[in-house]
Amino acid sequence: MNEHDMERMSELLIDSGFSCVSDTQQADVVIVNTCCVRAKAEQKFYSRMGRLRSMKKKNGAILGVTGCIAQLEKEHLFERLPFIDFALGTSNIHKIAEAVEQATKRAPYFDFSENGCNASFFVKPNNIKGSVRAYVTIIKGCNNFCSYCVVPYVRGREVSRESAGILKEIRELAATGIKEVTLLGQNVNSYNKNRDDISFPELLRGINNIDGIERIRFVTSHPKDLSSELIGCFGTLDKLCESIHLPFQSGSDKILKLMNRSYTRNDYLEKVALLKKRRSDMALTADCIVGFPGESEKDFLDTINLIEEIRFDGTFSFVYSPRKFTQASALPDAVPGELGLERLRHFQNIQKSITLAKNREMEGKRVEILVEDTSKNSEEELTGRTRTNKIVNFKGNRDMINKLVEVDIIKGYANSLWGENPKAKGGTSC
Ligand code: SF4
């Protein structure tokens, strides 16, 4: 979501005559877009701001803060960081050009209002990078109030975007060469739950009919809102990729209740079974928090055997960190820091071996890749993703970039796959 917000702000500023530079020291305007989901991100922000203060003293650059920390701190941010020129909350990033213009006149500018999430908030990006993949925001905010999460306090309540605007944007993106869209939101599958517009599965069907779009993904999904109608879209809609990010957070019912997640371990396992029934090759990724207050050794082991049972393709795992305003920050029985880290290491070691084993299971298979660019390692190697969102590197020529090609998987590694284009060895490719 933040990455997409950055793209939108960049494009709005480019429309106003700015251009991007790769070196912060060269910039006339520096924007720090922030995240406060975890304490570490917040600490990093404040230490980065210390360094930017010295830079500003030297070159007089305009310095602005956007995103979750701005929304959380509001005007107090100017007390803590008196040298900043502007700040915009999470519902107001579409006002970036106005904020910069005001700041050039040396008038500190801020807007933290929560009613900024109207049609202009969902301003569409222009695909200035000539990319083949794009994010499209379809819903903003969250109504769930998981006990550990600050998002509902900084991104506000759920606001679904009108389906007509989304479909129009995706048709326009397809016309610029976009082949893959990722629908974005804190909880995409509660899209239009309480509104008189089309449902999320209907939206997916509409996008599936757009010429030029070859792949559809969405992120993030709450397990309780993953309906059987939505599960039924996998395997029915040919462009919907067989991959889903479905955070489980804990494998213990006791902890799930304390987290206010509104589902049990069994509910989660049942949804996964339904997904696998639709597509046996469905790739699953998830988020998990270890060391949540009250997490016993048994609760932690419930989490470990959940990942061993499901065999996720990958997980994002974290040690719990208490956040301002949240219910969990007042819970007793904190897990000692070192024990939390030890559990995280154990979790990550097990996940690493599962991911490696799953990547090795891909060896010998022929898969479709959407080629994105040359690889980081070599100009002669290309990189792209499978429909299951796995990174594949292979030897190929630049003509293949932005195209769908077939690749035979030769080797599975911890974080990627190595493949061979059948055309290169005398076979056929699509
Ligand atoms: S559903 Fe996600 S964004 Fe919403 S409160 Fe829970 S963890 Fe936060």
Side-chain angles (χ1 to χ4, degrees), residues 77-91:
L77 197 65
F78 289 90
E79 288 162 23
R80 195 153 174 196
L81 306 170
F83 51 92
I84 62 172
D85 300 294
F86 69 88
L88 291 175
T90 51
S91 297

Side-chain angles (χ1 to χ4, degrees), residues 85-152:
D85 300 294
F86 69 88
L88 291 175
T90 51
S91 297
N92 304 291
I93 57 164
H94 57 294
K95 296 181 184 161
I96 188 71
E98 194 182 328
V100 171
E101 199 195 323
Q102 286 290 325
T104 53
K105 295 175 188 158
R106 294 288 161 220
Y109 181 98
F110 57 86
D111 194 340
F112 308 109
S113 55
E114 284 170 23
N115 56 359
C117 195
N118 51 27
S120 57
F121 170 83
F122 293 111
V123 59
K124 84 172 179 67
N126 298 312
N127 193 16
I128 46 166
K129 292 181 291 194
S131 174
V132 78
R133 302 161 72 211
Y135 295 120
V136 177
T137 305
I138 64 161
I139 182 169
K140 182 189 173 296
C142 184
N143 295 348
N144 286 321
F145 290 92
C146 300
S147 67
Y148 53 83
C149 183
V150 72
V151 165

Side-chain angles (χ1 to χ4, degrees), residues 62-78:
I62 288 168
L63 192 50
V65 179
T66 58
C68 298
I69 295 177
Q71 190 65 45
L72 193 70
E73 295 296 327
K74 298 191 169 71
E75 286 86 347
H76 297 301
L77 197 65
F78 289 90

Side-chain angles (χ1 to χ4, degrees), residues 216-218 221 226-228 230-237 240-246 268 271-285 310-314 358 361-362 365 386-390:
I216 308 166
R217 305 185 190 278
F218 55 83
S221 300
L226 186 69
S227 65
S228 43
L230 178 54
I231 293 172
C233 291
F234 289 101
T236 309
L237 303 179
L240 182 61
C241 292
E242 49 279 11
S243 122
I244 188 166
H245 185 72
L246 194 64
Y268 187 89
K271 300 246 165 150
V272 169
L274 286 173
L275 285 163
K276 294 257 180 192
K277 204 169 158 197
R278 289 298 304 174
R279 294 281 320 214
S280 57
D281 53 352
M282 176 73 76
L284 277 160
T285 54
I310 294 179
R311 296 186 76 236
F312 290 97
D313 293 79
K358 294 204 82 170
E361 285 163 20
M362 298 285 294
K365 292 189 175 150
T386 63
R387 283 175 58 100
T388 51
N389 219 10
K390 290 181 190 285

